[in-house]
Amino acid sequence: MSFIEENLKHVEQKIREACLRCGRKREDVTLIVVSKTKPVSMIQEVISLGPRDFGENKPQELRDKYDVLPKDLRWHMIGNLQRNKVKYVVGRAVMIHSVGSFALAAEIEKECAKHSLVMPCLVEVNMAHEASKGGIAPEEAREFMERVSTLKHLQVEGLMTVAPYVSDPEDNRDCFRSLRNLAVDIGKENIDNIRMRHLSMGMTGDYEVAIEEGATMIRVGTGILGERDYNI
Ligand SMILES: *Cc1c(COP(=O)(O)O)cnc(C)c1O
């Protein structure tokens, strides 16, 4: 068995156990394999083992991989997205998880209108107010939704967060729980064009806790494809 197959089996087992612990169904959690910096050959191996959802954090890398791989894969844009690069992901990504400013939302609207597409999006929330991270502050979320709801080519489907880096995953439980509570609160407002059906949270170090707290999408890179080398 290759290391990818072994890792994938392990992660799948952990997802199932976490679902069992909290009475959720396995099919209600989507595993997004984060393939950033990793070669197309590795992605092909993953495809042969089952997964179809992949996450990238660089628009050109997403474009290049999309263009050479089978068209039934689902690509998720999960990283910081500059406005002038929105054009690379519209028409390729099935979802943009990292909408963290109105300027970006407006650019997505413009590009999607051009192609008569509607882009499913998640609003990124910076739960811990970390200066190094993108996303809106949780207390700004409601007002932000009101503004974004006017953009008809952008469909908000939920919230996303990149939790702080911690050594004990339990330390992120409050962060995940707060994101879910925020989604519940926003959902109750019944804002036109705003849905709260997805929570994208949890990475290699903390996806089990995230599932217990309601994640519908987890983003796992290192735990499946190994450490990344950013110098290649
Ligand atoms: C890289 C990345 C991940 C995956 O991180 P791992 O710790 O390797 O699982 C998840 N989410 C985002 C936004 C990322 O940039």
Side-chain angles (χ1 to χ4, degrees):
M1 218 192 296
S2 75
F3 81 93
I4 294 179
E5 189 173 1
E6 241 168 70
N7 287 344
L8 202 55
K9 270 200 165 157
H10 175 79
V11 169
E12 186 57 45
Q13 177 71 20
K14 292 292 170 195
I15 294 172
R16 285 181 189 281
E17 287 170 6
C19 284
L20 270 178
R21 280 198 297 278
C22 58
R24 300 185 60 204
K25 294 200 218 98
R26 169 65 187 93
E27 58 266 34
D28 293 341
V29 180
T30 299
L31 168 63
I32 297 173
V33 179
V34 177
S35 50
K36 63 191 189 197
T37 78
K38 299 294 185 184
V40 162
S41 58
M42 268 196 183
I43 299 174
Q44 285 165 325
E45 180 173 354
V46 173
I47 297 168
S48 76
L49 299 166
R52 288 291 178 277
D53 289 84
F54 292 90
E56 290 286 340
N57 71 339
K58 296 229 160 55
Q60 284 104 326
E61 194 172 338
L62 187 150
R63 175 197 60 188
D64 294 346
K65 287 173 175 171
Y66 174 94
D67 288 352
V68 300
L69 282 158
K71 293 296 168 284
D72 64 338
L73 303 181
R74 293 182 290 272
W75 292 95
H76 300 258
M77 179 64 209
I78 61 172
N80 176 38
L81 180 55
Q82 289 171 319
R83 278 181 285 166
N84 61 349
K85 294 182 178 161
V86 168
K87 58 178 181 280
Y88 299 131
V89 300
V90 167
R92 291 187 176 89
V94 294
M95 187 176 272
I96 298 175
H97 292 227
S98 41
V99 178
S101 75
F102 189 76
L104 174 59
E107 184 64 32
I108 295 169
E109 167 69 18
K110 202 171 103 193
E111 191 66 24
C112 289
K114 222 192 274 179
H115 300 276
S116 301
L117 294 170
V118 175
M119 177 63 83
C121 289
L122 303 179
V123 172
E124 181 173 355
V125 185
N126 187 346
M127 293 307 286
H129 299 95
E130 290 174 282
S132 61
K133 282 184 185 151
I136 58 163
E139 55 275 13
E140 291 167 3
R142 207 192 151 280
E143 199 191 323
F144 187 77
M145 296 299 166
E146 298 274 3
R147 288 185 80 192
V148 171
S149 74
T150 62
L151 308 175
K152 296 305 174 201
H153 296 84
L154 188 155
Q155 175 66 58
V156 174
E157 297 283 358
L159 304 179
M160 178 271 219
T161 199
V162 180
Y165 184 79
V166 292
S167 50
D168 181 358
E170 283 299 327
D171 293 345
N172 277 336
R173 189 177 291 278
D174 278 348
C175 170
F176 296 143
R177 190 170 292 175
S178 302
L179 189 75
R180 181 179 55 177
N181 288 339
L182 184 61
V184 170
D185 289 345
I186 293 168
K188 281 184 192 147
E189 306 269 345
N190 278 318
I191 306 168
D192 187 38
N193 205 31
I194 302 290
R195 296 177 189 148
M196 285 292 132
R197 52 171 103 170
H198 281 296
L199 285 175
S200 169
M201 57 187 195
M203 308 178 15
T204 294
D206 53 20
Y207 65 87
E208 293 168 77
V209 174
I211 291 169
E212 289 169 6
E213 296 302 329
T216 65
M217 296 173 159
I218 56 171
R219 312 178 305 266
V220 182
T222 317
I224 295 171
L225 300 177
E227 294 292 335
R228 286 177 290 272
D229 182 357
Y230 287 98
N231 300 314
I232 48 173

